[in-house]
């Protein structure tokens, strides 16, 4: 998959609970401009179903679990996020869907830019048109 990958963070666990520290410089492949989190999602709900033109993000499931499906204009892969010690990097031009949120799940997202609705591609047909040829050339980021 292009512009997609798991990142492992260092977990400090000395038998009294785990501490994970994420440092912007070094652990995250972009400069963090925004943090948001998603909670209280009904188990049968689907979120996402869009791609971003320029945004880089890292998704971290702080509690519970959630499945993320990523799509490079046809090639698809599912990731189960159930460990707060790891994050899923998703770069530009990757379609994503989130589902199977477990009860009490908390999905935190680190983003490279502030919120901009113009950066979203929310229609799959438009997404396929906009990315035509992009993945064939092996372009990333
Ligand atoms: C993404 C996945 C992983 C804001 O006002 N500010 C924000 O920073 C964000 C992210 C959203 N919003 C508003 C826009 C909508 O009215 O919150 C509402 C829900 O947003 P959306 O339907 O885009 O949420 P998701 O869960 O489908 O997608 C979100 C992010 O938007 C998206 O960038 O990659 O999480």
């Amino acid at each position: 998959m292009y512009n997609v990958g798991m990142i492992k963070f260092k977990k400090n666990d000395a038998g009294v609970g785990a501490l994970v520290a994420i440092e912007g410089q070094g652990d995250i492949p972009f400069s963090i401009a925004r943090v948001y989190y998603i909670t209280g999602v009904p188990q049968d709900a689907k979120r996402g179903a869009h791609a971003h033109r320029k945004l880089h993000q890292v998704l971290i499931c702080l509690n519970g679990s959630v499945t993320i499906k990523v799509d490079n204009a046809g090639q698809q892969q599912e990731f189960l996020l159930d460990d707060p010690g790891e994050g899923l990097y998703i770069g530009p031009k990757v379609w994503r869907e989130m589902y199977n949120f477990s009860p009490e799940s908390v999905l935190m997202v680190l983003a490279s830019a502030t919120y901009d609705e113009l950066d979203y591609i929310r229609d799959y047909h438009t997404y396929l048109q906009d990315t035509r040829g992009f993945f064939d050339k092996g372009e990333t980021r």
Side-chain angles (χ1 to χ4, degrees):
M1 298 292 295
Y2 294 113
N3 284 357
V4 174
M6 290 301 301
I7 301 173
K8 284 254 180 209
F9 305 118
K10 184 169 179 281
K11 198 184 261 184
N12 298 276
D13 190 346
V16 287
L19 187 155
V20 178
I22 300 171
E23 301 203 346
Q25 283 191 348
D27 292 327
I28 302 297
F30 52 82
S31 157
I32 300 165
R34 176 170 48 120
V35 178
Y36 60 92
Y37 34 88
I38 297 169
T39 58
V41 182
Q43 254 178 304
D44 58 352
K46 278 193 176 186
R47 300 189 63 106
H50 59 254
H52 284 280
R53 299 177 200 282
K54 294 188 176 159
L55 191 70
H56 301 262
Q57 300 193 104
V58 172
L59 283 62
I60 304 163
C61 189
L62 296 182
N63 190 56
S65 61
V66 56
T67 302
I68 314 289
K69 185 166 79 180
V70 289
D71 181 334
N72 278 170
Q75 192 197 353
Q76 301 177 341
Q77 191 172 345
E78 277 190 342
F79 290 87
L80 175 68
L81 298 188
D82 61 356
D83 180 353
E86 60 187 29
L88 177 64
Y89 166 78
I90 305 180
K93 297 183 170 56
V94 177
W95 189 265
R96 83 287 317 265
E97 294 175 13
M98 300 104 79
Y99 44 85
N100 289 345
F101 285 82
S102 70
E104 310 297 324
S105 60
V106 177
L107 179 62
M108 181 178 76
V109 182
L110 312 177
S112 65
T114 52
Y115 176 69
D116 177 9
E117 185 57 36
L118 294 178
D119 189 63
Y120 285 73
I121 307 171
R122 292 193 183 270
D123 173 67
Y124 192 69
H125 186 67
T126 305
Y127 167 68
L128 291 180
Q129 282 185 332
D130 285 8
T131 55
R132 188 168 293 152
F134 178 79
F135 296 109
D136 304 338
K137 286 187 238 147
E139 292 189 25
T140 56
R141 295 188 190 176

